[in-house]
Protein backbone atom coordinates (compact mmCIF):
# COMPACT_ATOMS: atom_id res chain seq x y z
CA UNK A 1 0.00 0.00 0.00
CA UNK A 2 1.22 3.49 -0.86
CA UNK A 3 -0.13 6.96 -0.13
CA UNK A 4 0.15 9.91 -2.53
CA UNK A 5 0.28 13.66 -1.87
CA UNK A 6 -1.14 15.82 -4.69
CA UNK A 7 -0.12 19.34 -3.66
CA UNK A 8 0.66 21.58 -6.65
CA UNK A 9 0.61 24.80 -4.59
CA UNK A 10 1.78 23.73 -1.13
CA UNK A 11 5.35 22.96 0.09
CA UNK A 12 5.19 19.23 -0.42
CA UNK A 13 8.44 18.50 1.42
CA UNK A 14 6.98 19.98 4.61
CA UNK A 15 3.99 17.65 4.24
CA UNK A 16 6.06 14.53 3.47
CA UNK A 17 8.28 15.29 6.49
CA UNK A 18 5.18 15.69 8.68
CA UNK A 19 3.74 12.40 7.41
CA UNK A 20 7.03 10.58 8.01
CA UNK A 21 7.05 11.96 11.57
CA UNK A 22 3.51 10.96 12.50
CA UNK A 23 3.27 7.74 10.46
CA UNK A 24 6.78 6.47 9.57
CA UNK A 25 5.35 3.13 8.37
CA UNK A 26 3.36 4.68 5.51
CA UNK A 27 4.94 4.57 2.04
CA UNK A 28 4.58 8.22 0.99
CA UNK A 29 4.67 9.14 -2.69
CA UNK A 30 4.48 12.59 -4.26
CA UNK A 31 2.74 13.77 -7.42
CA UNK A 32 4.05 14.31 -10.11
CA UNK A 33 7.66 13.15 -9.95
CA UNK A 34 7.85 10.72 -7.01
CA UNK A 35 4.82 8.55 -7.79
CA UNK A 36 6.65 5.25 -8.17
CA UNK A 37 4.44 2.32 -9.23
CA UNK A 38 0.94 3.85 -9.50
CA UNK A 39 -0.75 0.48 -8.95
CA UNK A 40 0.50 0.57 -5.32
CA UNK A 41 -1.31 3.83 -4.52
CA UNK A 42 -4.47 3.17 -2.48
CA UNK A 43 -4.88 6.50 -0.68
CA UNK A 44 -4.26 10.07 -1.70
CA UNK A 45 -4.51 13.45 0.00
CA UNK A 46 -4.92 16.55 -2.11
CA UNK A 47 -5.23 20.31 -2.15
CA UNK A 48 -6.18 21.85 -5.52
CA UNK A 49 -5.47 18.64 -7.47
CA UNK A 50 -5.16 19.19 -11.23
CA UNK A 51 -8.01 17.51 -13.16
CA UNK A 52 -7.21 13.96 -14.25
CA UNK A 53 -4.59 13.14 -11.61
CA UNK A 54 -6.97 11.25 -9.30
CA UNK A 55 -8.39 9.30 -12.26
CA UNK A 56 -4.87 8.15 -13.16
CA UNK A 57 -4.67 6.09 -9.93
CA UNK A 58 -6.25 2.73 -10.80
CA UNK A 59 -6.31 1.21 -7.29
CA UNK A 60 -7.34 4.26 -5.29
CA UNK A 61 -9.60 3.47 -2.30
CA UNK A 62 -10.05 6.87 -0.61
CA UNK A 63 -9.45 10.50 -1.59
CA UNK A 64 -8.71 12.85 1.29
CA UNK A 65 -8.99 16.61 1.14
CA UNK A 66 -6.29 18.36 3.17
CA UNK A 67 -8.80 21.06 4.08
CA UNK A 68 -12.45 21.30 5.12
CA UNK A 69 -13.59 22.38 1.65
CA UNK A 70 -13.77 19.92 -1.21
CA UNK A 71 -14.88 22.18 -4.08
CA UNK A 72 -11.47 21.93 -5.79
CA UNK A 73 -11.60 18.12 -5.71
CA UNK A 74 -15.22 17.88 -6.87
CA UNK A 75 -14.70 20.20 -9.82
CA UNK A 76 -12.53 17.58 -11.59
CA UNK A 77 -14.88 16.21 -14.30
CA UNK A 78 -12.85 12.99 -14.49
CA UNK A 79 -13.16 12.19 -10.76
CA UNK A 80 -14.05 8.48 -10.33
CA UNK A 81 -17.65 8.12 -9.03
CA UNK A 82 -16.99 5.20 -6.74
CA UNK A 83 -14.08 6.45 -4.59
CA UNK A 84 -15.15 7.98 -1.25
CA UNK A 85 -13.94 11.49 -0.40
CA UNK A 86 -13.10 12.43 3.17
CA UNK A 87 -12.64 16.05 4.29
CA UNK A 88 -10.94 17.54 7.34
CA UNK A 89 -12.95 17.99 10.53
CA UNK A 90 -10.36 18.62 13.20
CA UNK A 91 -10.39 20.81 16.33
CA UNK A 92 -7.12 22.50 15.31
CA UNK A 93 -8.58 23.70 11.98
CA UNK A 94 -11.90 24.63 13.56
CA UNK A 95 -10.19 26.55 16.36
CA UNK A 96 -8.15 28.56 13.87
CA UNK A 97 -11.30 29.52 11.96
CA UNK A 98 -13.07 30.52 15.16
CA UNK A 99 -10.11 32.74 16.09
CA UNK A 100 -10.40 34.45 12.70
CA UNK A 101 -14.15 35.00 12.87
CA UNK A 102 -14.05 36.23 16.48
CA UNK A 103 -11.09 38.50 15.66
CA UNK A 104 -12.83 40.13 12.71
CA UNK A 105 -16.22 40.49 14.37
CA UNK A 106 -14.48 42.13 17.33
CA UNK A 107 -12.30 44.27 15.06
CA UNK A 108 -15.38 45.78 13.42
CA UNK A 109 -17.36 45.92 16.67
CA UNK A 110 -14.53 47.75 18.51
CA UNK A 111 -13.79 49.93 15.44
CA UNK A 112 -10.12 48.93 15.55
CA UNK A 113 -9.35 50.17 12.05
CA UNK A 114 -10.57 53.64 13.01
CA UNK A 115 -8.42 53.52 16.15
CA UNK A 116 -5.36 52.42 14.10
CA UNK A 117 -5.90 55.32 11.73
CA UNK A 118 -6.28 57.75 14.63
CA UNK A 119 -3.06 56.47 16.21
CA UNK A 120 -1.17 56.98 12.95
CA UNK A 121 -2.48 60.56 12.82
CA UNK A 122 -1.98 61.11 16.61
CA UNK A 123 -5.68 61.91 17.09
CA UNK A 124 -7.14 61.36 20.60
CA UNK A 125 -10.72 60.72 19.46
CA UNK A 126 -12.81 58.91 22.07
CA UNK A 127 -15.87 58.21 19.95
CA UNK A 128 -18.86 56.34 21.44
CA UNK A 129 -18.58 52.59 21.69
CA UNK A 130 -21.28 49.97 22.13
CA UNK A 131 -21.68 46.59 23.81
CA UNK A 132 -21.61 43.16 22.15
CA UNK A 133 -25.33 42.71 22.88
CA UNK A 134 -26.01 45.64 20.52
CA UNK A 135 -24.67 43.74 17.49
CA UNK A 136 -26.49 40.90 15.70
CA UNK A 137 -24.13 38.45 14.03
CA UNK A 138 -25.57 36.07 11.43
CA UNK A 139 -23.53 33.09 10.29
CA UNK A 140 -24.33 31.45 6.94
CA UNK A 141 -23.19 27.83 7.16
CA UNK A 142 -23.71 26.25 10.57
CA UNK A 143 -21.54 23.16 10.11
CA UNK A 144 -18.37 22.35 12.02
CA UNK A 145 -16.86 25.84 11.57
CA UNK A 146 -20.01 27.93 11.77
CA UNK A 147 -21.34 26.26 14.92
CA UNK A 148 -18.06 26.69 16.81
CA UNK A 149 -17.78 30.36 15.82
CA UNK A 150 -21.41 30.91 16.79
CA UNK A 151 -20.89 29.45 20.27
CA UNK A 152 -17.78 31.54 20.95
CA UNK A 153 -19.45 34.75 19.68
CA UNK A 154 -22.56 33.98 21.76
CA UNK A 155 -20.35 33.55 24.83
CA UNK A 156 -18.84 36.99 24.27
CA UNK A 157 -22.36 38.42 24.31
CA UNK A 158 -23.24 39.02 20.64
CA UNK A 159 -26.77 38.23 19.45
CA UNK A 160 -26.01 35.27 17.21
CA UNK A 161 -28.08 33.46 14.60
CA UNK A 162 -27.16 30.85 12.04
CA UNK A 163 -28.54 29.90 8.64
CA UNK A 164 -28.15 26.41 7.21
CA UNK A 165 -30.05 23.93 5.06
CA UNK A 166 -31.27 22.07 8.13
CA UNK A 167 -32.31 23.52 11.49
CA UNK A 168 -29.82 23.51 14.37
CA UNK A 169 -30.41 23.38 18.13
CA UNK A 170 -27.67 25.42 19.79
CA UNK A 171 -28.67 27.10 23.04
CA UNK A 172 -28.65 30.88 22.71
CA UNK A 173 -28.19 30.80 18.94
CA UNK A 174 -31.25 31.41 16.78
CA UNK A 175 -31.55 28.98 13.87
CA UNK A 176 -32.87 29.82 10.41
CA UNK A 177 -33.15 27.04 7.84
CA UNK A 178 -33.52 26.85 4.10
CA UNK A 179 -34.31 29.36 1.38
CA UNK A 180 -37.68 30.29 2.89
CA UNK A 181 -36.05 31.66 6.06
CA UNK A 182 -33.12 33.38 4.34
CA UNK A 183 -34.69 36.84 4.15
CA UNK A 184 -35.75 36.79 7.81
CA UNK A 185 -32.21 35.76 8.75
CA UNK A 186 -30.74 38.64 6.73
CA UNK A 187 -33.23 41.16 8.15
CA UNK A 188 -31.98 40.58 11.74
CA UNK A 189 -28.27 40.52 10.82
CA UNK A 190 -25.83 43.44 11.32
CA UNK A 191 -22.69 41.36 10.66
CA UNK A 192 -23.03 38.66 7.99
CA UNK A 193 -20.42 35.89 8.21
CA UNK A 194 -20.09 33.27 5.48
CA UNK A 195 -18.77 29.85 6.42
CA UNK A 196 -20.61 28.12 3.62
CA UNK A 197 -19.05 25.54 1.31
CA UNK A 198 -18.75 26.44 -2.38
CA UNK A 199 -21.60 24.74 -4.24
CA UNK A 200 -23.85 25.70 -7.12
CA UNK A 201 -26.43 26.81 -4.51
CA UNK A 202 -24.06 29.13 -2.65
CA UNK A 203 -22.30 30.67 -5.67
CA UNK A 204 -22.74 34.45 -5.68
CA UNK A 205 -24.87 34.44 -2.53
CA UNK A 206 -23.19 37.61 -1.20
CA UNK A 207 -24.58 39.94 -3.87
CA UNK A 208 -26.19 43.37 -3.92
CA UNK A 209 -29.71 42.01 -3.31
CA UNK A 210 -28.51 40.04 -0.28
CA UNK A 211 -26.65 43.06 1.09
CA UNK A 212 -29.75 45.25 0.70
CA UNK A 213 -31.79 42.79 2.80
CA UNK A 214 -29.41 43.02 5.79
CA UNK A 215 -30.33 45.00 8.91
CA UNK A 216 -29.61 48.73 9.04
CA UNK A 217 -30.65 49.00 12.69
CA UNK A 218 -27.23 48.12 14.10
CA UNK A 219 -24.82 50.59 15.71
CA UNK A 220 -23.10 51.48 12.41
CA UNK A 221 -26.29 52.13 10.41
CA UNK A 222 -25.11 49.76 7.68
CA UNK A 223 -24.14 46.10 7.78
CA UNK A 224 -20.74 44.38 7.67
CA UNK A 225 -19.77 41.30 5.65
CA UNK A 226 -17.12 38.73 6.60
CA UNK A 227 -16.42 35.97 4.06
CA UNK A 228 -14.10 33.11 5.01
CA UNK A 229 -16.09 30.46 3.09
CA UNK A 230 -15.06 30.63 -0.56
CA UNK A 231 -14.50 33.47 -3.03
CA UNK A 232 -17.18 32.11 -5.36
CA UNK A 233 -19.75 33.15 -2.78
CA UNK A 234 -19.10 36.87 -3.17
CA UNK A 235 -19.82 39.15 -6.12
CA UNK A 236 -16.82 41.45 -5.64
CA UNK A 237 -18.26 44.25 -7.81
CA UNK A 238 -21.46 44.24 -5.72
CA UNK A 239 -19.50 44.45 -2.47
CA UNK A 240 -17.43 47.37 -3.79
CA UNK A 241 -20.51 49.18 -5.12
CA UNK A 242 -22.39 48.64 -1.85
CA UNK A 243 -19.42 49.97 0.18
CA UNK A 244 -19.20 53.06 -2.03
CA UNK A 245 -22.96 53.63 -1.81
CA UNK A 246 -22.93 53.35 2.00
CA UNK A 247 -25.11 50.22 1.84
CA UNK A 248 -22.27 48.29 3.48
CA UNK A 249 -20.23 49.67 6.38
CA UNK A 250 -17.18 47.41 5.92
CA UNK A 251 -16.03 44.01 4.69
CA UNK A 252 -13.47 41.42 5.72
CA UNK A 253 -12.58 39.02 2.91
CA UNK A 254 -10.27 36.00 3.17
CA UNK A 255 -11.25 34.20 -0.02
CA UNK A 256 -11.35 35.34 -3.64
CA UNK A 257 -11.74 34.46 -7.29
CA UNK A 258 -9.07 34.07 -8.47
CA UNK A 259 -6.52 33.29 -5.81
CA UNK A 260 -3.99 34.81 -5.44
CA UNK A 261 -5.99 38.03 -5.83
CA UNK A 262 -4.43 39.95 -8.75
CA UNK A 263 -2.57 43.18 -7.78
CA UNK A 264 -4.96 45.28 -9.89
CA UNK A 265 -8.05 44.22 -7.90
CA UNK A 266 -9.67 47.32 -6.35
CA UNK A 267 -10.34 45.23 -3.23
CA UNK A 268 -6.66 45.59 -2.19
CA UNK A 269 -6.85 49.32 -1.63
CA UNK A 270 -10.48 49.95 -0.72
CA UNK A 271 -10.44 51.76 2.65
CA UNK A 272 -13.41 49.79 3.97
CA UNK A 273 -12.04 46.36 3.02
CA UNK A 274 -9.86 44.24 5.29
CA UNK A 275 -8.27 41.57 3.18
CA UNK A 276 -6.35 38.43 4.15
CA UNK A 277 -4.75 35.86 1.81
CA UNK A 278 -6.91 32.76 2.41
CA UNK A 279 -5.33 32.16 5.79
CA UNK A 280 -8.42 32.17 8.05
CA UNK A 281 -7.76 28.53 8.97
CA UNK A 282 -4.54 26.99 7.68
CA UNK A 283 -4.12 23.22 7.67
CA UNK A 284 -1.28 22.38 10.06
CA UNK A 285 0.86 19.65 8.42
CA UNK A 286 1.51 17.47 11.49
CA UNK A 287 -2.04 17.72 12.83
CA UNK A 288 -3.66 17.03 9.49
CA UNK A 289 -1.21 14.22 8.60
CA UNK A 290 -2.12 12.53 11.90
CA UNK A 291 -5.79 12.88 10.90
CA UNK A 292 -5.06 11.41 7.45
CA UNK A 293 -2.97 8.54 8.85
CA UNK A 294 -5.75 7.73 11.32
CA UNK A 295 -8.26 7.59 8.47
CA UNK A 296 -6.01 5.28 6.46
CA UNK A 297 -5.67 2.91 9.41
CA UNK A 298 -9.40 2.97 10.09
CA UNK A 299 -10.12 2.17 6.47
CA UNK A 300 -7.57 -0.64 6.46
CA UNK A 301 -9.26 -2.14 9.56
CA UNK A 302 -12.57 -2.04 7.72
CA UNK A 303 -14.03 0.66 9.98
CA UNK A 304 -16.38 3.34 8.67
CA UNK A 305 -14.86 6.65 7.64
CA UNK A 306 -16.14 9.85 9.27
CA UNK A 307 -16.58 13.17 7.50
CA UNK A 308 -17.43 11.62 4.16
CA UNK A 309 -18.40 14.11 1.48
CA UNK A 310 -21.88 13.85 0.02
CA UNK A 311 -21.19 14.41 -3.66
CA UNK A 312 -24.82 15.24 -4.46
CA UNK A 313 -24.92 18.02 -1.84
CA UNK A 314 -21.44 19.13 -2.89
CA UNK A 315 -19.96 19.30 0.63
P1 LIG B 1 -19.62 21.79 6.98
O1 LIG B 1 -19.89 20.89 5.84
O2 LIG B 1 -19.47 21.22 8.34
O3 LIG B 1 -20.78 22.91 7.06
C1 LIG B 1 -21.35 23.49 5.95
C2 LIG B 1 -22.57 24.25 6.40
O4 LIG B 1 -23.12 24.97 5.31
C3 LIG B 1 -23.70 23.33 6.92
O5 LIG B 1 -24.29 23.90 8.07
C4 LIG B 1 -24.70 23.31 5.77
O6 LIG B 1 -26.04 23.11 6.16
C5 LIG B 1 -24.52 24.72 5.24
N1 LIG B 1 -24.99 24.82 3.86
C6 LIG B 1 -24.48 24.22 2.75
N2 LIG B 1 -25.18 24.55 1.66
C7 LIG B 1 -26.16 25.37 2.09
C8 LIG B 1 -27.22 26.06 1.44
N3 LIG B 1 -27.43 25.94 0.12
N4 LIG B 1 -28.06 26.81 2.19
C9 LIG B 1 -27.87 26.92 3.52
N5 LIG B 1 -26.87 26.32 4.20
C10 LIG B 1 -26.03 25.55 3.49
O7 LIG B 1 -18.31 22.63 6.58
P2 LIG B 1 -17.25 23.34 7.54
O8 LIG B 1 -17.98 24.11 8.57
O9 LIG B 1 -16.23 22.37 7.99
O10 LIG B 1 -16.53 24.32 6.49
C11 LIG B 1 -17.28 25.27 5.79
C12 LIG B 1 -16.48 25.90 4.68
O11 LIG B 1 -15.51 26.78 5.22
C13 LIG B 1 -15.65 24.95 3.83
O12 LIG B 1 -16.44 24.28 2.86
C14 LIG B 1 -14.66 25.90 3.19
O13 LIG B 1 -15.19 26.43 1.98
C15 LIG B 1 -14.53 27.01 4.23
N6 LIG B 1 -13.20 27.01 4.86
C16 LIG B 1 -12.38 28.09 4.62
C17 LIG B 1 -11.15 28.15 5.21
C18 LIG B 1 -10.30 29.36 5.05
O14 LIG B 1 -9.13 29.33 5.45
N7 LIG B 1 -10.82 30.45 4.50
C19 LIG B 1 -10.66 27.05 6.06
C20 LIG B 1 -11.61 25.99 6.26
C21 LIG B 1 -12.84 25.98 5.67
P3 LIG B 1 -26.50 21.73 6.87
O15 LIG B 1 -25.82 21.72 8.21
O16 LIG B 1 -27.97 21.87 6.99
O17 LIG B 1 -26.03 20.63 5.98
C1 LIG C 1 -10.15 24.65 3.78
C2 LIG C 1 -9.40 25.87 3.46
O1 LIG C 1 -11.14 24.35 3.10
O2 LIG C 1 -8.29 26.07 4.01
O3 LIG C 1 -9.75 23.95 4.72
O4 LIG C 1 -9.88 26.70 2.69
Amino acid sequence: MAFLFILPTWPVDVWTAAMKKVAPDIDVRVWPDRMGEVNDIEYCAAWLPPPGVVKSLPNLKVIMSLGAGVDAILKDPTLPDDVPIVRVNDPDLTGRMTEYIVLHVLMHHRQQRRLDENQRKKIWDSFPTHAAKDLSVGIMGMGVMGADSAIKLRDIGFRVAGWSRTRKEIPGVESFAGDTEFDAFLARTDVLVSLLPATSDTDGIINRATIRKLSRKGPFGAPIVINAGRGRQQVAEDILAALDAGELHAATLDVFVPEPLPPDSPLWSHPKVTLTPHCAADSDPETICAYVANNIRRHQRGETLDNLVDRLRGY
Side-chain angles (χ1 to χ4, degrees):
M1 183 284 282
F3 161 84
L4 179 72
F5 275 124
I6 310 169
L7 297 178
T9 62
W10 283 1
V12 76
D13 290 342
V14 173
W15 283 83
T16 50
M19 196 58 152
K20 285 240 173 307
K21 186 163 173 197
V22 301
D25 53 312
I26 292 181
D27 175 3
V28 178
R29 312 277 180 85
V30 176
W31 175 87
D33 47 8
R34 281 179 273 157
M35 302 225 339
E37 171 53 55
V38 287
N39 286 311
D40 299 344
I41 298 169
E42 295 183 4
Y43 302 90
C44 76
W47 186 251
L48 308 184
V53 176
V54 172
K55 184 182 173 359
S56 72
L57 308 171
N59 294 322
L60 194 65
K61 293 187 173 151
V62 182
I63 306 165
M64 284 172 267
S65 168
L66 287 179
V70 288
D71 42 300
I73 291 177
L74 292 178
K75 80 173 185 203
D76 178 352
T78 70
L79 202 66
D81 293 334
D82 52 344
V83 183
I85 304 168
V86 174
R87 67 186 201 91
V88 173
N89 169 3
D90 180 88
D92 181 89
L93 193 71
T94 306
R96 288 167 191 247
M97 180 59 85
T98 299
E99 288 172 11
Y100 183 90
I101 300 301
V102 170
L103 170 71
H104 286 270
V105 170
L106 283 172
M107 183 194 76
H108 293 294
H109 164 63
R110 298 302 306 240
Q111 304 180 66
Q112 188 59 44
R113 291 204 47 174
R114 180 170 171 180
L115 291 164
D116 290 343
E117 183 68 12
N118 285 346
Q119 181 180 351
R120 263 191 299 277
K121 294 179 179 161
K122 301 184 180 167
I123 297 173
W124 186 273
D125 175 16
S126 35
F127 48 80
T129 57
H130 50 272
K133 68 174 175 41
D134 299 330
L135 205 64
S136 295
V137 181
I139 302 180
M140 300 195 287
M142 285 293 285
V144 175
M145 305 270 167
D148 194 62
S149 292
I151 289 165
K152 304 290 174 3
L153 289 166
R154 174 203 67 189
D155 290 350
I156 293 171
F158 293 105
R159 291 194 302 251
V160 183
W163 179 70
S164 39
R165 278 188 331 112
T166 55
R167 199 167 304 288
K168 308 296 174 204
E169 302 285 339
I170 302 177
V173 176
E174 200 178 351
S175 173
F176 294 81
D179 293 345
T180 53
E181 296 181 14
F182 189 49
D183 285 3
F185 163 77
L186 295 176
R188 52 76 63 204
T189 293
D190 302 318
V191 181
L192 180 69
V193 175
S194 179
L195 285 173
L196 287 165
T199 68
S200 53
D201 289 335
T202 64
D203 279 349
I205 194 166
I206 308 172
N207 56 39
R208 197 78 181 261
T210 299
I211 291 166
R212 284 184 173 149
K213 288 176 189 165
L214 288 165
S215 161
R216 259 138 250 285
K217 296 192 196 114
F220 304 116
I224 291 161
V225 163
I226 300 174
N227 184 11
R230 280 291 182 267
R232 279 164 48 184
Q233 286 151 22
Q234 72 213 6
V235 181
E237 303 72 37
D238 286 9
I239 290 178
L240 287 163
L243 287 168
D244 290 339
E247 290 171 17
L248 251 192
H249 178 72
T252 287
L253 306 174
D254 182 57
V255 283
F256 305 90
V257 176
E259 290 181 5
L261 185 68
D264 62 355
S265 167
L267 290 169
W268 281 109
S269 47
H270 197 288
K272 293 179 179 169
V273 173
T274 301
L275 185 158
T276 52
H278 197 147
C279 62
D282 283 338
S283 294
D284 173 64
E286 269 187 42
T287 311
I288 304 303
C289 283
Y291 177 85
V292 165
N294 185 41
N295 274 331
I296 292 173
R297 292 191 180 112
R298 284 172 63 97
H299 188 261
Q300 287 180 316
R301 289 195 298 264
E303 293 171 23
T304 51
L305 291 168
D306 293 330
N307 304 305
L308 281 172
V309 173
D310 177 336
R311 293 197 191 201
L312 278 181
R313 284 189 327 188
Y315 64 96

